[in-house]
Amino acid sequence: MKGYVVYDQDKKGKRPGVLVVPEWWGFNDYVRMRARELAGLGYIAMAVDMYGNGKIAANPQEAQELSAPFYKDPELGKVRLDAAIQKIRQYPETDHANIAAMGYCFGGGVVLNSACLGADLKGVVSFHGSLGGIQAPKNRLKARILVCHGADDKFVSQKDVSEFKHKMDSIGARYTVKVYPGATHAFTNPAATQVGKQFNMPIAYNEAADKHSWQDMKAFFQQLFH
C-alpha cells in the first residue's frame, strides 16, 4: 500500500490527521489533490492506496473487479484503513487524539463501514458514498459521521438514505446527512462529467454541491477536532 502523505512543513507542532479514501477508480490524481487541499487547511493528510501498488482502473469493468472484494467483505476495507491509521500516527506532526477519515463514492462506503466496525477514528465524512453498508453494533461505532449526498444520485437511492438513517438512529449514532439539490453521483469530481460521457454513466460534476459539501466538511472538522 503506497500512500501519499502531505502536510505544511512550515507549520509547527502537531495537527489533526485526515485519511482520504479514493473513488473506485483507485489511487489517482484526484485523491492526492484532495489530500493537498487538506494540508492547506492545516491538517496532515494521507491519500490511502486501497488496492495496493497505486493501482488505477482504466474503465468501469476494472474498477468493479478491484472494488468487488471490499463490497463483499467490509472487514477488508477496515484492515487497510487501520494500516493507514497506524502509518499516519508514525508522523511526529500527527495529533493522535484527532484522526478522521473521508472518502469519495467507494471510499465513502469504506470509511462508513470501517467506522461502523469500530475503527479508531474521531469522525468520518462520506462524499457521494455508498450507504447500503453493514449495521453497526451499538457499542463499536466511536466516530461522528457526516454524509454528503447528491439528491439526484442514481447509484444511491432515497431508500438507501432512509435505511441508513434508520440504522444510525437505532444505535443512537451521532450523524448528519446533507443533501445537495441537483447533484448526481461523483458531484465533487471535476472530471466526472467527462468520465460520465465516456462510459455512459449517470455522473457529473456539480460546482455548487462541491463547494457546499467542502464547507460542510470544514465546519464538521472544526467541531470535531478540539
Side-chain angles (χ1 to χ4, degrees):
M1 309 298 137
K2 298 179 178 175
Y4 172 83
V5 175
V6 58
Y7 56 90
D8 179 357
Q9 62 189 10
D10 294 330
K11 180 179 158 78
K12 296 288 177 269
K14 293 187 182 296
R15 69 221 60 186
V18 183
L19 305 166
V20 192
V21 183
E23 299 167 296
W24 72 339
W25 304 111
F27 198 64
N28 57 16
D29 289 339
Y30 179 64
V31 71
R32 293 195 289 274
M33 178 267 282
R34 289 300 189 186
R36 287 193 296 273
E37 288 184 338
L38 288 163
L41 296 176
Y43 304 127
I44 176 169
M46 177 179 179
V48 182
D49 175 17
M50 292 300 286
Y51 299 152
N53 295 314
K55 280 197 199 87
I56 299 171
N59 54 55
Q61 288 74 28
E62 270 185 32
Q64 200 161 11
E65 283 165 23
L66 288 167
S67 61
F70 296 89
Y71 285 116
K72 193 172 159 191
D73 178 15
E75 196 72 53
L76 176 62
K78 180 179 179 287
V79 166
R80 297 203 175 167
L81 199 61
D82 283 346
I85 293 168
Q86 285 179 352
K87 189 68 187 174
I88 204 168
R89 282 171 180 270
Q90 291 172 13
Y91 286 80
E93 291 78 13
T94 305
D95 173 2
H96 288 199
N98 284 304
I99 297 178
M102 58 191 242
Y104 294 89
C105 302
F106 159 77
V110 167
V111 301
L112 288 172
N113 277 331
S114 298
C116 288
L117 289 165
D120 191 12
L121 293 162
K122 199 166 189 186
V124 295
V125 184
S126 164
F127 293 92
H128 39 83
S130 45
L131 298 178
I134 56 157
Q135 172 69 52
K138 188 171 178 64
N139 298 321
R140 286 181 79 180
L141 176 64
K142 304 178 194 131
R144 286 178 57 188
I145 291 171
L146 172 63
V147 168
C148 300
H149 173 71
D152 294 351
D153 193 318
K154 296 286 189 289
F155 292 95
V156 183
S157 68
Q158 189 50 54
K159 182 169 174 278
D160 292 333
V161 176
S162 299
E163 285 177 1
F164 174 80
K165 287 179 173 178
H166 179 69
K167 281 182 190 172
M168 292 291 110
D169 289 338
S170 73
I171 59 165
R174 295 167 300 163
Y175 77 99
T176 305
V177 175
K178 298 266 187 176
V179 180
Y180 307 96
T184 65
H185 200 63
F187 64 79
T188 64
N189 191 335
T193 306
Q194 180 58 39
V195 171
K197 285 177 184 163
Q198 185 181 352
F199 296 116
N200 195 26
M201 296 169 74
I203 61 175
Y205 179 61
N206 184 306
E207 187 179 9
D210 178 24
K211 287 183 173 163
H212 283 143
S213 61
W214 191 255
Q215 290 303 324
D216 288 335
M217 176 213 75
K218 287 203 289 189
F220 176 75
F221 283 157
Q222 278 165 2
Q223 286 185 321
L224 188 71
F225 298 137
H226 51 73

